[in-house]
Amino acid sequence: MGAPDDVGDAGATGREGGNEQAAQKAHRRRRPEAHTFSLWHCPFAFAGAWQPWAKPSAPPERNPLRPIVVTEFISLDGVVDSPGGGAYEHAGWTFKDIEFVPEAYAVKGREQEEASALLLGRVTFEEFAPVWPTMDDFATYNAMPKYVVSRTLDDAAVTDIDWADCHVLRSLDEVAKLKEADGGPILVHGSAALVQSLLAAGLVDGFTLLEFPVVLGSGKRLWAEGIGRTDLRLRNTETYSNGIRLAEFDVVQ
């Protein structure tokens, strides 16, 4: 299996993640104590209390594969484009005209505590790498191993940076080997093109989706044409007073 096309992987502050400075200003107007960056870049700033996922015990004779879990902010019509701001016509849609309810974002704190590694596309990695190491709220993420799937990035561009414990994977075969190694869940933020490649290769095990009560009608979608059918089993769902719905799915393999 080859690596996904790097050019197609919209990042956190580009088409997919949006302009975080714009998100900062919008959140600061609504909530003075909010973090400098958007909720997408500061996912557990409003974590609050949470209960960890149940972790089924594995038979002692085998080492189960590490699950890859995709986490996204998503519209009702499947758009993940620029949730915090950017050039997209509806950029910043996660906070525009949507009441702020802290408990809707509690899952973001739980995700960070449960993850054992991050897996990112190239553009998302390049957007995160200069920002996340400076954020105390991401101490757990910053300390864990981080992997970027790319055919084009030089090794030095991944390993010789201020973000510790970063590694480059050159193919989806290497991602599959990562799943076989010891460790816990592997979390994918953003990286829509990478997610589509992982889905096509049967490497995604679950989704954590914060679905916003808005239909955008255009923009980059998580479910792209041609990715084929994926059957999901709902594991947990919660609906909040502002219309945001949390849906956690297992992929039926």
Side-chain angles (χ1 to χ4, degrees), residues 4-138:
D5 183 358
D6 293 316
V7 177
D9 177 19
T13 58
R15 289 277 292 162
E16 188 171 313
N19 185 298
E20 298 304 334
Q21 285 73 21
Q24 168 200 1
K25 294 177 182 177
H27 283 296
R28 185 176 287 169
R29 287 194 296 269
R30 299 177 57 198
R31 195 170 179 274
E33 72 276 21
H35 280 282
T36 302
F37 299 90
S38 75
L39 292 176
W40 204 89
H41 259 173
C42 257
F44 82 105
F46 314 106
W50 57 272
Q51 296 294 324
W53 289 345
K55 295 182 174 65
S57 56
E61 67 273 9
R62 63 183 294 268
N63 183 22
L65 295 180
R66 303 169 70 181
I68 290 179
V69 180
V70 175
T71 179
E72 303 282 355
F73 287 180
I74 191 167
S75 71
L76 284 173
D77 54 340
V79 175
V80 293
D81 205 334
S82 307
Y88 169 53
E89 61 177 323
H90 301 303
W93 50 270
T94 58
F95 57 81
K96 291 180 178 177
D97 301 319
I98 295 176
E99 179 189 0
F100 175 75
V101 176
E103 55 267 29
Y105 303 96
V107 66
K108 294 302 177 181
R110 173 158 56 85
E111 285 178 334
Q112 181 170 195
E113 294 302 317
E114 293 175 345
S116 69
L118 289 177
L119 181 66
L120 304 170
R122 177 185 62 82
V123 176
T124 301
F125 175 83
E126 290 181 328
E127 296 288 354
F128 282 13
V131 178
W132 282 31
T134 68
M135 303 179 69
D136 293 338
D137 284 338
F138 284 164

Side-chain angles (χ1 to χ4, degrees), residues 60-221:
E61 67 273 9
R62 63 183 294 268
N63 183 22
L65 295 180
R66 303 169 70 181
I68 290 179
V69 180
V70 175
T71 179
E72 303 282 355
F73 287 180
I74 191 167
S75 71
L76 284 173
D77 54 340
V79 175
V80 293
D81 205 334
S82 307
Y88 169 53
E89 61 177 323
H90 301 303
W93 50 270
T94 58
F95 57 81
K96 291 180 178 177
D97 301 319
I98 295 176
E99 179 189 0
F100 175 75
V101 176
E103 55 267 29
Y105 303 96
V107 66
K108 294 302 177 181
R110 173 158 56 85
E111 285 178 334
Q112 181 170 195
E113 294 302 317
E114 293 175 345
S116 69
L118 289 177
L119 181 66
L120 304 170
R122 177 185 62 82
V123 176
T124 301
F125 175 83
E126 290 181 328
E127 296 288 354
F128 282 13
V131 178
W132 282 31
T134 68
M135 303 179 69
D136 293 338
D137 284 338
F138 284 164
T140 302
Y141 277 139
N142 290 333
M144 69 180 60
K146 293 162 283 288
Y147 300 90
V148 54
V149 184
S150 174
R151 293 190 302 256
T152 60
L153 276 176
D154 293 334
D155 288 345
V158 177
T159 59
D160 296 348
I161 60 175
D162 291 334
W163 211 10
D165 208 356
C166 292
H167 313 270
V168 62
L169 304 179
R170 299 300 184 188
S171 69
L172 296 182
D173 287 330
E174 293 187 27
V175 176
K177 290 179 181 177
L178 180 65
K179 284 173 62 71
E180 296 172 357
D182 291 336
I186 302 166
L187 198 63
V188 182
H189 277 282
S191 308
L194 172 62
V195 171
Q196 291 157 15
S197 296
L198 293 171
L199 268 176
L203 295 174
V204 176
D205 299 283
F207 288 90
T208 299
L209 305 177
L210 274 181
E211 184 182 71
F212 285 70
V214 59
V215 174
L216 297 173
S218 65
K220 181 177 285 295
R221 285 175 165 81

